[in-house]
Amino acid sequence: MTALSRRAPALAMAAMVLAGFSAIGARCGSDDQKTPAPPAPPTDTQNGAHVTVAKPPLHVTPFLVDVNMVLVNVTVTDPFDRIVTGLDQENFEVYDEKVPQKIETFSTEDAPISVGLIFDCSGSMGDKIQKSKEAALQFFKTSNPQDEFMLVSFSDRPDMISGFTAKYENLQDRLLTVKSGGRTALLDAIYLGLSEMKKATTNRRALLVISDGGDNHSRYTESDIKKAVKESDVQIYAVGIFEPSASRGRTPEEAGGPGLLAELSEVSGGRMFSVENTNELPDIAEKISVELRNQYVLGYKPSNLIRDGRWRRIRVKLNPPKGLPPLQVYARTGYYAPTQ
């Protein structure tokens, strides 16, 4: 096993870490917490390119862009879903409402990040709870010293288990003796997570959602949450532990779970990983950690200076060096323009 480099250079490959650890548990929320009221890697050197591919085994504050700069986090993967690093600014194009924009800033540094874990401990998680905890802790273990984390668990309601802390060991302690039970208030939990993100101290923010299916007990609607995600500058990475599509035991909510999580992830610039074998969970969580620490950050000044408060679509196009296979780009799909 290799240790994940915590301070890799900007163009370095992030290595996956597969670490075992002892099983632990958590309490699925404390009674004194209340839910807020609803409102090995190939390298291509052709034509001077040096590209490394890492193989991993409703009232939030609106994300309103001032006219000075829009920042877009971008993840690039190859056909085998491996992270691609080593690209340059000239390999990217950004379009704002189909209008090409000039990229003013370009960065690949592993900057500190604030991550909120949204952890499902509803009754249906029963035999999946242990591996889900292992996945969460594997994600924490691959963090950097400047990162910070918070924890929201949910069943019948979401509970704020821990606010932001740089010591993930504190979250491990709060995850002791977890027991699954109750229904699934997934949408309410995501809403609470987005709201708490306002307290983050870093500029890069993400939610990691670990759940086994669709919502069946929330007060917020899908429409509410989709709007909240669009209004927030937060990437959503979802790990969906789904029953096989042919399973007779799936409820309508569970059947719709993959689509819901995939849509929320896509609009935010994150990703959804579908899992049927719970033994894969720790590796998937670590893969997400690698992605978050190997993103390109593109900055541009919108050519449209009209303050109309409208949703403006973003598209990031990739012009990879010659000789590389087709690459996939993941980036947020838009932002709200300012109103004044």
Side-chain angles (χ1 to χ4, degrees):
M1 299 185 183
T2 60
L4 179 67
S5 174
R6 300 184 181 276
R7 286 288 174 264
L11 302 182
M13 174 185 71
M16 292 299 297
V17 181
L18 298 176
F21 67 100
S22 58
I24 65 173
R27 200 166 155 251
C28 183
S30 56
D31 295 336
D32 57 349
Q33 298 289 341
K34 297 182 179 180
T35 305
T43 299
D44 190 304
T45 56
Q46 184 173 346
N47 296 333
H50 182 84
V51 178
T52 304
V53 179
K55 181 179 181 181
L58 194 137
H59 298 297
V60 297
T61 302
F63 174 43
L64 300 177
V65 175
D66 63 22
V67 294
N68 293 323
M69 190 73 68
V70 179
L71 297 178
V72 185
N73 296 325
V74 181
T75 298
V76 181
T77 62
D78 74 356
F80 297 98
D81 205 30
R82 299 175 297 188
I83 300 299
V84 176
T85 63
L87 297 173
D88 297 319
Q89 178 174 328
E90 63 189 26
N91 298 126
F92 295 90
E93 295 178 12
V94 178
Y95 294 83
D96 190 313
E97 290 295 312
K98 299 183 179 180
V99 178
Q101 306 292 313
K102 178 182 178 181
I103 298 176
E104 301 282 351
T105 63
F106 178 82
S107 174
T108 58
E109 64 179 336
D110 182 6
I113 187 170
S114 301
V115 180
L117 172 61
I118 311 299
F119 189 84
D120 188 348
C121 58
S122 61
S124 58
M125 286 291 286
D127 57 351
K128 311 163 191 171
I129 202 78
Q130 186 57 43
K131 283 296 181 181
S132 296
K133 290 184 293 181
E134 292 180 10
L137 296 181
Q138 188 63 23
F139 181 87
F140 293 148
K141 285 183 177 181
T142 56
S143 65
N144 289 338
Q146 291 79 21
D147 295 341
E148 61 179 8
F149 305 94
M150 63 123 174
L151 173 61
V152 173
S153 70
F154 67 94
S155 53
D156 288 322
R157 67 175 189 178
D159 284 287
M160 193 70 222
I161 301 300
S162 173
F164 280 109
T165 175
K167 297 181 179 180
Y168 69 82
E169 295 86 354
N170 295 341
L171 301 186
Q172 291 183 180
D173 295 338
R174 302 303 300 270
L175 283 176
L176 293 174
T177 63
V178 79
K179 293 181 180 179
S180 62
R183 303 184 71 183
T184 309
L186 172 61
L187 297 176
D188 286 354
I190 293 176
Y191 186 92
L192 176 58
L194 292 173
S195 298
E196 287 296 315
M197 274 295 167
K198 294 184 292 185
K199 302 175 183 178
T201 62
T202 74
N203 293 325
R204 299 180 61 223
R205 305 174 182 188
L207 290 183
L208 172 59
V209 181
I210 300 179
S211 179
D212 71 340
D215 188 287
N216 59 22
H217 202 65
S218 283
R219 290 171 288 182
Y220 288 105
T221 66
E222 290 187 20
S223 178
D224 293 333
I225 301 307
K226 290 174 184 177
K227 185 175 187 296
V229 170
K230 282 186 173 183
E231 291 179 341
S232 67
D233 187 15
V234 178
Q235 288 184 285
I236 294 181
Y237 279 83
V239 180
I241 314 167
F242 304 123
E243 297 292 335
S245 57
S247 173
R248 296 181 179 179
R250 296 208 311 176
T251 65
E253 293 85 1
E254 290 172 335
L260 171 62
L261 290 177
E263 185 174 357
L264 295 178
S265 300
E266 180 181 359
V267 73
S268 72
R271 288 218 275 165
M272 193 273 285
F273 295 84
S274 181
V275 178
E276 293 184 5
N277 182 352
T278 56
N279 290 323
E280 299 174 359
L281 286 170
D283 291 349
I284 296 268
E286 190 169 19
K287 181 175 184 177
I288 293 173
S289 179
V290 169
E291 286 201 15
L292 286 171
R293 289 163 179 82
N294 286 273
Q295 293 182 326
Y296 303 90
V297 182
L298 314 180
Y300 70 93
K301 297 178 180 179
S303 57
N304 183 354
L305 303 181
I306 300 177
R307 296 173 176 268
D308 53 13
R310 297 181 60 183
W311 174 255
R312 296 180 182 173
R313 295 189 177 276
I314 298 173
R315 184 171 74 93
V316 177
K317 180 181 178 182
L318 188 64
N319 299 312
K322 293 181 179 180
L324 289 183
L327 303 178
Q328 178 67 46
V329 176
Y330 299 91
R332 67 177 299 114
T333 60
Y335 65 95
Y336 282 105
T339 56
Q340 57 181 354

